[in-house]
Amino acid sequence: MLIVTTHFIEGRPVRQHLGMVSSQAILGANVVLDLMNAIRDFIGGRSKGYERVLAQARAEALKNLEAEARALGANAIVGVDLDYNTVGPNGSMLMVSVNGSAVIL
């Protein structure tokens, strides 16, 4: 499945729009990760722990988006938009939301 952020693909006209598809993945970081990142926040530097959690959430959200589009009979998703947020008590969970248009090229 072709998944792109642009609204068209040069040389591949959209033959049919099947509708909007969306997916979310929400992952909680653990207490140890939160503690380590509190220290990292104080001294500076990259948070590889949170980067891994965000990458996992993004991969899950895109996988679910693709499954939703396939269920509609799509062979591509165009206009994909990814959003990152925190949710839950004290923003303790990381959320990735993905939206796009399922199409047949």
Side-chain angles (χ1 to χ4, degrees):
M1 168 115 16
L2 191 57
I3 301 174
V4 298
T5 58
T6 58
H7 293 283
F8 64 92
I9 301 164
E10 190 172 336
R12 308 270 318 260
V14 172
R15 294 185 316 165
Q16 184 178 0
H17 287 269
L18 301 173
M20 188 182 94
V21 288
S22 63
S23 174
Q24 299 79 34
I26 301 172
L27 297 178
N30 62 45
V31 174
V32 174
L33 184 60
D34 286 341
L35 177 61
M36 297 300 290
N37 285 299
I39 294 168
R40 176 84 55 207
D41 188 36
F42 182 72
I43 62 173
R46 290 178 62 171
S47 170
K48 293 193 186 284
Y50 280 135
E51 288 175 359
R52 279 192 299 276
V53 172
L54 279 172
Q56 180 184 355
R58 182 179 58 246
E60 283 186 29
L62 286 169
K63 182 178 85 174
N64 294 338
L65 186 77
E66 182 177 341
E68 189 173 326
R70 278 192 198 286
L72 294 175
N75 64 2
I77 307 170
V78 297
V80 172
D81 177 53
L82 287 102
D83 291 311
Y84 299 87
N85 293 293
T86 56
V87 295
N90 302 319
S92 60
M93 302 183 89
L94 304 170
M95 177 176 74
V96 177
S97 299
V98 188
N99 302 294
S101 296
V103 299
I104 297 175
L105 298 177

